[in-house]
Amino acid sequence: MEKQTYVSLVLETPAAAPEHIQRHYRNKLAMETDVADVRSDLEHGVKDFLLVDVRSEKAYEECHITGAVSLPAARINAESTAEFSKDRLIVVYCWGPACNGGTKGAARLAELGFQVKEMLGGIEYWRKEGGSVEGTLGKIAPLIG
């Protein structure tokens, strides 16, 4: 019986050239941000972006990031965004890593001509990292919709 040779699952596909890797990660950073960066900016008074909660109105009412505005992803259209400036970055968030509401919201806003980034981790990681929240239930609000 021949011994089978193990083939590395990591190495079976060669890595891209460094310039392609750099471009990939720069592009990723151009479309995403994280809880720590958003929180740091807000704590330092940065007001150059609009933070938008794309979850349901009920979820927003119960608990949302302090200072965020509510605009459920399904309601994003030209009329609902008429007062938003296209010169100001919009940062969207939803429930957490398993939620694609932020992705849907970002795609809809981009289709309307807005600059947008998705905040990875959503309100779940915002709360895990001790970020400030407000709403009728605040910190005791459920983390599911």
Side-chain angles (χ1 to χ4, degrees), residues 3-105:
K3 183 178 175 184
Q4 289 187 323
T5 304
Y6 178 80
V7 176
S8 169
L9 299 175
V10 173
L11 301 175
E12 73 178 337
T13 303
E19 60 272 13
H20 295 285
I21 296 168
Q22 189 268 348
R23 184 172 34 252
H24 168 80
Y25 286 108
R26 288 287 176 202
N27 287 337
K28 188 173 177 180
L29 289 169
M31 295 177 225
E32 300 171 344
T33 188
D34 67 12
V35 166
D37 290 350
V38 171
R39 185 174 174 197
S40 179
D41 277 5
L42 294 177
E43 288 174 353
H44 287 93
V46 175
K47 303 211 186 281
D48 296 339
F49 61 88
L50 175 65
L51 187 58
V52 177
D53 185 322
V54 297
R55 300 172 305 140
S56 70
E57 289 178 359
K58 178 182 183 279
Y60 176 86
E61 288 172 12
E62 291 177 349
C63 179
H64 59 271
I65 297 172
T66 304
V69 299
S70 175
L71 181 56
R75 291 198 15 233
I76 294 173
N77 58 43
E79 293 78 32
S80 65
T81 61
E83 294 186 21
F84 293 177
S85 170
K86 292 193 176 173
D87 295 326
R88 187 177 184 203
L89 176 69
I90 297 174
V91 174
V92 297
Y93 72 89
C94 64
W95 287 104
C99 176
N100 68 2
T103 303
K104 289 176 182 178

Side-chain angles (χ1 to χ4, degrees), residues 42 73 81 108 123-124:
L42 294 177
T81 61
R108 289 183 177 126
I123 195 148
E124 176 185 350

